Amino acid sequence: MNDEVLLEATNVRKWFGGVRAVDGCSVQVRAGHVTGLIGPNGAGKSTMVSLLAGSLKPDSGTITLLGKDVTTAPTWKRARRGLIRTFQVSRELGHMTVLDNLMVTVTPQPGETLFSAFFRGREWHRQELQMLERAYMLLERFGLAKMADEYASTLSGGQKRLLELARAVMPEPKILLLDEPVAGVNPSLVRDLAGHIERLRDEGMTIVMVEHELAIVERLCDPIIVMAQGTVLDQGTMASLRENEAVVSAYLAG
Ligand code: ADP
Ligand code: MG
């Protein structure tokens, strides 16, 4: 782990009318770390994730990904550079099989026509087989292999969370943005999901994670960034945050 900053937001602002969702925040995401994003509801965490991912453009400020300014780059360009996000509410494709949910994350990029794919011939076929192999490996790893041919809509809430994580990992991202990855699942699955995220971290994945369950945040995240009312209140380890009275009264005591 070299602690290099892979993703950085500098003084970003995003207002919705009069709502100052993100009001001048700076965030650094370092290689190999799980950076936690905590704070009360409405603090601006999801908005921050959308700004980092590119589904929202900041009113002002800059975002740098792997040393390149991506402030106005769309999500798919950031995804090509290795930045993949998940959502607070699962967005699996219910009308597709579990396997296809993984395969569509690695289908030909914009600009690649059927024509060019056809003339790539054998090479294309070989790549597709590799992707299938990777998809099955991930379904196995996330405990979904038995469901490979089921429609994703038939999965339980917890399985949809696992699928969402597998989908995010499928294209071999450099950085994962996870918005409340264990929201709404039962306690045993929370442990399961946390274990998967921990394993990704231990394999060297760089992760940004919005999470409410402080036990999970404490176990997985360092540093932890505390947001409140669109600003960054403090950041550091959970132990250091507990020393900060403003943080405790804004969130930790809550
Ligand atoms: P968090 O994820 O920390 O709960 P959000 O980033 O979702 O907070 O929201 C921050 C504030 O911005 C909230 O007051 C929310 O209502 C508002 N907000 C978020 N998205 C939108 C939107 N698309 N349009 C208008 N207001 C929004
Ligand atoms: Mg949110």
Side-chain angles (χ1 to χ4, degrees):
M1 189 188 304
N2 57 14
D3 283 63
E4 183 192 353
V5 175
L6 299 188
L7 176 65
E8 183 167 22
T10 306
N11 205 18
V12 288
R13 202 187 73 185
K14 181 70 191 177
W15 294 2
F16 298 105
V19 179
R20 302 180 173 202
V22 170
D23 198 22
C25 286
S26 297
V27 165
Q28 291 190 327
V29 178
R30 292 184 185 276
H33 287 252
V34 181
T35 301
L37 206 48
I38 67 172
N41 274 327
K45 306 180 298 294
S46 291
T47 304
M48 192 67 206
V49 168
S50 292
L51 291 170
L52 292 170
S55 38
L56 287 173
K57 303 283 177 287
D59 303 331
S60 61
T62 57
I63 295 174
T64 311
L65 171 60
L66 305 174
K68 186 170 183 270
D69 188 320
V70 293
T71 309
T72 59
T75 46
W76 64 266
K77 274 197 182 161
R78 296 185 207 199
R80 262 194 192 175
R81 292 180 70 80
L83 180 67
I84 301 283
R85 69 100 49 108
T86 66
F87 291 86
Q88 192 167 345
V89 177
S90 295
R91 291 198 181 174
E92 79 289 342
L93 303 166
H95 60 287
M96 279 187 197
T97 67
V98 168
L99 177 63
D100 282 345
N101 264 268
L102 264 60
M103 292 303 287
V104 292
T105 67
V106 290
T107 47
Q109 298 294 323
E112 182 153 50
T113 60
L114 267 180
F115 187 76
S116 65
F118 179 78
F119 282 101
R120 273 165 56 208
R122 295 168 80 92
E123 171 62 12
W124 173 242
H125 188 62
R126 193 183 60 79
Q127 283 184 10
E128 191 164 31
L129 284 178
Q130 274 179 0
M131 289 173 208
L132 264 177
E133 209 166 285
R134 177 167 174 77
Y136 276 114
M137 182 273 286
L138 287 173
L139 291 180
E140 200 68 56
R141 171 168 174 173
F142 287 92
L144 295 168
K146 285 202 180 73
M147 313 291 290
D149 298 324
E150 306 292 330
Y151 283 116
S153 57
T154 65
L155 298 180
S156 70
Q159 288 172 326
K160 285 177 180 173
R161 284 287 172 195
L162 288 163
L163 176 60
E164 179 149 44
L165 200 52
R167 273 174 61 91
V169 173
M170 178 72 190
E172 302 187 63
K174 295 194 178 75
I175 307 167
L176 269 182
L177 306 177
L178 308 176
D179 195 353
E180 301 200 28
V182 309
V185 308
N186 69 54
S188 80
L189 225 123
V190 167
R191 276 195 301 281
D192 194 19
L193 277 161
H196 284 296
I197 295 166
E198 189 163 43
R199 180 170 163 197
L200 290 170
R201 178 196 69 185
D202 293 345
E203 290 168 357
M205 181 78 78
T206 304
I207 299 173
V208 178
M209 184 166 103
V210 177
E211 188 44 58
H212 276 297
E213 295 235 14
L214 292 182
I216 291 183
V217 173
E218 182 156 26
R219 174 172 147 201
L220 297 180
C221 304
D222 180 20
I224 300 160
I225 298 171
V226 187
M227 286 186 71
Q229 297 180 319
T231 64
V232 172
L233 216 52
D234 195 3
Q235 53 187 304
T237 62
M238 190 62 93
S240 78
L241 296 176
R242 287 210 177 90
E243 305 284 307
N244 181 332
E245 259 177 50
V247 171
V248 172
S249 64
Y251 188 63
L252 296 182

